[in-house]
Amino acid sequence: MPEISRSNLKLVLGAAAAAIAAAAAVWGLGDWRPARGVATQAHSEAQPAARGAPGWFSAVGGPPASTAGSSAPEPLARQVDALIATGKPEDAYQAHNLIGDCITFQKLGVIPYFHFPEQREMSEAEKQAEAKVCASLTEQMKRSRIDYLTLAARAGVQGASSRFLMEGPFGDPSALQTRPDDPLVLQWKQQAMEQLNREAAQGDLSSLNTLWTSHMTGTPAVPKDARLAYTYNAAMERIFRMQAPDANGGPYDSQLFSFLKEGLTPEQIAAADAEAGRIAENFRKRFEARKLGEAAAAVNGRQ
C-alpha cells in the first residue's frame, strides 16, 4: 500500500467521520453519548440536555427511570451507582461514558460534541448543570471506569470495543510505546484486537470504522495491513449502499480508496470482497433483529 500524505489522510478520515452522522441518522444506531439525568431549563421542553443525535460509537439505553426527565442535575455518583446496580453491560458502558464526560469537563470546562451533530457549544446553563453533576466525581470512579468499559467490551456492547482500544492498556495509551514488550500490555493488545475483530465480523460499525482506518495507517495497537484495511473498507461501503442505494460515490467509495487494493493479489481481493459481503449481511441481520426487538418491547409496553 502506498504511503498516504497527511493532507490526504485528513480528507480520508474526515469523510469517514462525516459518514458517521449520515449513516446513523438513517439506521438509528444508538447515541453519540449516553442519555443523562441532566435537564436544564432551556431544554426541558425537548429532551435531556446532553442527549445527542444518533451516532455510531455507543448504543446504550437511557438513564435510570429515577433520573430520566429530571428537571434538576442528578449527581454523577448517584447516576453511576444506579447504572452499575442493574448488572447490565450496557449500563456499565453508560457509566464509563458518564465518568469520562466529567473527566473531560473538569479538564476543559466544556464537553466537546455535547450536542453532536449540532454545531453549537454548551450553554452557560448547561455548563453550570454539568459542574453540579461532576462535583461528585472521585478518583475511585476514575479508576473504576476502565473496569466498567472492560465488562462492556467483553460483552459485545456496541461501541465499547473501539473505546477499549482508544483508552489504551488499563487507561494508559502511552504504555503501548513506553512498555511495548510488557506481558500485560501484550495481553491487553491481544484482548483489544480479539474484541474488535469479533464485533467487526458481526457488522458493528464502530469496530469496522476503527479497524479499516487503523489497518490503513498502522498504530501502536493495530498493525498496518493492506488486506484487512481493504476488507473492512469494502464492508463499510456495502453497508453504506444499503442505506443510500441511489447515492453517487460516498465516503467509502471503492474508487476513492482504490489504492487499498494496490499490492494485493486477485485472490486476496476476491477473498476480501467475499468477507466484506458476509460482514454486511451480518450487519443487516443484526439491525433487523434489533428493530424487531424494539417493536416487540413497544407492544409489550402498551399492554
Side-chain angles (χ1 to χ4, degrees):
M1 186 192 305
E3 291 299 320
I4 305 172
S5 69
R6 185 178 296 273
S7 59
N8 286 341
L9 177 60
K10 190 173 183 179
L11 289 174
V12 167
L13 299 183
I20 290 171
V26 174
W27 291 98
L29 295 166
D31 299 316
W32 172 261
R33 64 179 71 255
R36 308 165 60 122
V38 184
T40 62
Q41 182 71 25
H43 294 81
S44 59
E45 301 84 4
Q47 56 186 354
R51 190 168 182 84
W56 284 9
F57 295 115
S58 62
V60 295
S66 60
T67 63
S70 172
S71 60
E74 189 77 10
L76 177 67
R78 191 175 302 171
Q79 292 189 57
V80 170
D81 286 347
L83 288 166
I84 299 305
T86 70
K88 297 179 180 179
E90 295 85 357
D91 289 341
Y93 186 43
Q94 185 170 338
H96 166 271
N97 289 339
L98 290 173
I99 295 168
D101 274 355
C102 279
I103 292 173
T104 299
F105 180 78
Q106 291 189 348
K107 183 181 298 183
L108 302 179
V110 297
I111 299 177
Y113 307 110
F114 192 71
H115 290 278
F116 180 86
E118 295 178 34
Q119 298 299 312
R120 75 172 181 85
E121 297 180 356
M122 295 177 72
S123 68
E124 287 304 315
E126 289 165 344
K127 291 179 182 179
Q128 293 174 13
E130 191 68 16
K132 292 180 180 179
V133 169
C134 298
S136 57
L137 176 66
T138 65
E139 290 300 318
Q140 178 60 44
M141 292 167 68
K142 292 179 183 179
R143 292 190 295 269
S144 295
R145 75 188 182 97
I146 301 300
D147 295 332
Y148 304 153
L149 176 60
T150 300
L151 172 64
R154 286 177 172 165
V157 175
Q158 188 173 353
S161 293
S162 292
R163 176 58 61 181
F164 185 89
L165 183 77
M166 292 173 63
E167 291 285 359
F170 323 110
D172 179 17
S174 67
L176 289 165
Q177 294 176 305
T178 60
R179 298 185 285 129
D181 299 323
D182 186 324
L184 291 177
V185 173
L186 294 174
Q187 183 179 11
W188 176 90
K189 286 178 65 174
Q190 180 180 356
Q191 179 182 346
M193 291 305 299
E194 287 177 352
Q195 291 169 170
L196 280 169
N197 290 328
R198 179 194 68 212
E199 293 305 303
Q202 294 302 312
D204 176 62
L205 294 177
S206 64
S207 298
L208 287 168
N209 202 59
T210 295
L211 283 171
W212 88 262
T213 54
S214 298
H215 280 307
M216 179 175 64
T217 60
T219 73
V222 183
K224 189 174 182 179
D225 189 308
R227 181 184 62 81
L228 290 175
Y230 173 72
T231 300
Y232 292 131
N233 173 263
M236 295 290 276
E237 182 184 24
R238 284 162 173 74
I239 292 171
F240 179 80
R241 294 296 170 204
M242 288 181 185
Q243 73 157 38
D246 299 325
N248 292 321
Y252 307 101
D253 185 62
S254 57
Q255 293 184 353
L256 177 63
F257 294 102
S258 60
F259 63 85
L260 293 174
K261 294 191 287 187
E262 295 183 13
L264 299 181
T265 66
E267 293 77 15
Q268 287 177 314
I269 293 173
D273 284 333
E275 178 62 19
R278 287 191 291 270
I279 290 172
E281 179 62 12
N282 286 339
F283 168 85
R284 184 189 64 78
K285 292 177 179 178
R286 196 177 194 181
F287 176 78
E288 291 180 353
R290 174 185 166 185
K291 285 302 180 183
L292 287 174
E294 290 175 351
V299 170
N300 292 334
R302 291 194 296 267
Q303 293 177 350

